[in-house]
Structures are given as structure tokens and as C-alpha cells.
């Protein structure tokens, strides 16, 4: 959904820059549909993915801070 929205937004902005009103009007419904699709996207899955992705970096940072003598608070 994010890739589709990104591609459609790029096309839309390029059409605006070209002052191509037909293309802008044709792309508007696509962007509206993209927005609805993103609105229905559950954030819990995204949050879990983000946590999984970032946790090794957070752990390494915390470890380095402890090694330097700082107290790390969650």
C-alpha cells in the first residue's frame, strides 16, 4: 500500500509540475483510494515490525552507554 501510494503521489506531483490538469484529475481518485487503503492499515503490525527492526540497535546503544558508565532507563 505504501509503495502504491508513493508511486501514485510521485505521478500526481509530476503532473502538477507539468501543469497537466487532465493527469491531475485522473490521478486524484487513485490517491483517494490509496489514502483509504492506508487508513485501514493496522498499526500493530507496523509497530511490531519496527520494534523487531530497531531492537538490535537499541540494545547495542544501551550496552555502549552502560559500558561508558551511564545508567540506562527504559
Amino acid at each position: 500500500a505504501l509503495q502504491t501510494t508513493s508511486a501514485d503521489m510521485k505521478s500526481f506531483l509530476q503532473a502538477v509540475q507539468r501543469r497537466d490538469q487532465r493527469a491531475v484529475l485522473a490521478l486524484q481518485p487513485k490517491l483517494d483510494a490509496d489514502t483509504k487503503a492506508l487508513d485501514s492499515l493496522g498499526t500493530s503490525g507496523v509497530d511490531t515490525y519496527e520494534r523487531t527492526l530497531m531492537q538490535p540497535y537499541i540494545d547495542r546503544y544501551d550496552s555502549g552507554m552502560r559500558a561508558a558508565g551511564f545508567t540506562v532507563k527504559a
Side-chain angles (χ1 to χ4, degrees):
L2 287 172
Q3 286 178 331
T4 301
T5 302
S6 178
D8 290 345
M9 180 60 77
K10 180 181 178 182
S11 297
F12 179 83
L13 292 174
Q14 288 172 339
V16 169
Q17 288 174 338
R18 290 190 314 266
R19 293 180 170 82
D20 184 350
Q21 189 172 0
R22 268 190 216 162
V24 168
L25 292 174
L27 288 165
Q28 187 62 55
K30 284 180 142 185
L31 286 175
D32 292 341
D34 293 345
T35 301
K36 284 184 182 181
L38 288 176
D39 285 344
S40 67
L41 183 66
T43 59
S44 66
V46 174
D47 292 342
T48 301
Y49 171 75
E50 184 179 77
R51 240 182 275 114
T52 302
L53 182 68
M54 298 302 295
Q55 196 60 53
Y57 300 103
I58 293 168
D59 293 343
R60 193 174 317 147
Y61 175 83
D62 289 348
S63 176
M65 293 299 284
R66 282 189 200 96
F70 294 99
T71 303
V72 178
K73 296 181 181 181

